[in-house]
Amino acid sequence: DAVRTRGHCSGVVGTLMSNMGFELALAELQIPFARAKVGDRYVIELMNAQGWKLGGENSGHIICADVTTTGDGIVSALKVLFASVTTQTSIHDLKCGMSKFPQVMQNVRTAQKVNLDALPAVQTAVRSIEAKLAGHGRVLLRPSGTEPVVRVMVEGEDDSLVRSLCGELAHVVQCAVR
């Protein structure tokens, strides 16, 4: 909370792949969070639209727009060190403010580009899995932009449930795209 007070953060942009634990940690600090499509260009686009100065991806590409226009590891590291020094909090303790949710992803090979919205079995499976997660997780189906696969991701509080549900959904997707 001291970080937000001393270094005001109007909001943070993540991606569709950003961990739900990160989103909940920001909500606890009353910092708005928005998800962009995967890719620095989409993160920057949404940051500009929201007028926010901070965004990034799971890959570690963190954009601190008050200092630079692209992801920069050195700038990100300096920002973390600055937060640690100004709040007199160890980096370990700063990190403890967030609990990562288990996130499982499986790639399902496809012969061609697939419109997942047009596959009723997949949409039914997604709704079923979301119901099983009961608001404590999420499902993401995302065709890869670089290879012929659909990325099936399930995230939630319970690791074994997440693994099971991801396998179940990947199987449904695999059968539907044949």
Side-chain angles (χ1 to χ4, degrees), residues 12 14 21-23 51 59-60 69 78 99 102 115 139 149 151 159 166 173:
V12 176
F22 180 59
E23 183 176 3
S59 63
T69 58
L78 289 171
S99 297
N115 178 2
V139 173
V149 299
R151 302 197 193 287
D159 186 57
C166 188
V173 171

Side-chain angles (χ1 to χ4, degrees), residues 1 3 27-28 31 37 41 54 62 71 80 83 91 94 116 133 155 178:
D1 202 23
V3 173
E28 198 170 296
I31 297 173
K37 291 191 283 186
R41 68 181 264 203
L54 186 61
I62 308 301
V80 170
I91 294 172
L94 287 173
L116 296 167
L133 291 168
E155 178 179 49
R178 283 189 182 154

Side-chain angles (χ1 to χ4, degrees), residues 115-175:
N115 178 2
L116 296 167
D117 294 333
L119 301 172
V122 171
Q123 296 308 309
T124 299
V126 167
R127 284 191 300 277
S128 171
I129 287 169
E130 287 174 336
K132 290 174 186 174
L133 291 168
H136 298 279
R138 63 191 186 101
V139 173
L140 176 65
L141 294 177
R142 187 176 78 80
S144 170
T146 58
E147 54 186 321
V149 299
V150 172
R151 302 197 193 287
V152 177
M153 193 269 296
V154 178
E155 178 179 49
E157 293 175 323
D158 182 317
D159 186 57
S160 62
L161 178 63
V162 165
R163 288 185 186 288
S164 171
L165 294 175
C166 188
E168 179 182 320
L169 183 55
H171 178 72
V172 171
V173 171
Q174 188 169 40
C175 291

Side-chain angles (χ1 to χ4, degrees), residues 25-118:
L26 289 172
E28 198 170 296
L29 294 171
Q30 299 178 346
I31 297 173
F33 177 74
R35 291 181 188 274
K37 291 191 283 186
V38 174
D40 280 3
R41 68 181 264 203
Y42 300 112
V43 172
I44 292 168
E45 191 176 278
L46 188 51
M47 286 170 60
N48 290 336
Q50 296 287 354
W52 297 346
K53 300 292 183 194
L54 186 61
E57 299 189 84
N58 289 7
S59 63
H61 292 172
I62 308 301
I63 302 142
C64 304
D66 60 328
V67 178
T68 185
T69 58
T70 62
D72 186 305
I74 293 173
V75 170
S76 300
L78 289 171
K79 287 286 193 174
V80 170
L81 290 172
F82 179 79
S84 177
V85 169
T86 58
T87 62
Q88 297 182 346
T89 307
S90 72
I91 294 172
H92 175 269
D93 288 345
L94 287 173
K95 188 218 167 283
C96 287
M98 179 192 141
S99 297
K100 250 178 130 173
F101 276 38
Q103 191 180 73
V104 176
M105 185 165 25
Q106 290 186 22
N107 291 332
V108 175
R109 289 232 165 259
T110 61
Q112 59 198 20
K113 212 164 182 128
V114 180
N115 178 2
L116 296 167
D117 294 333

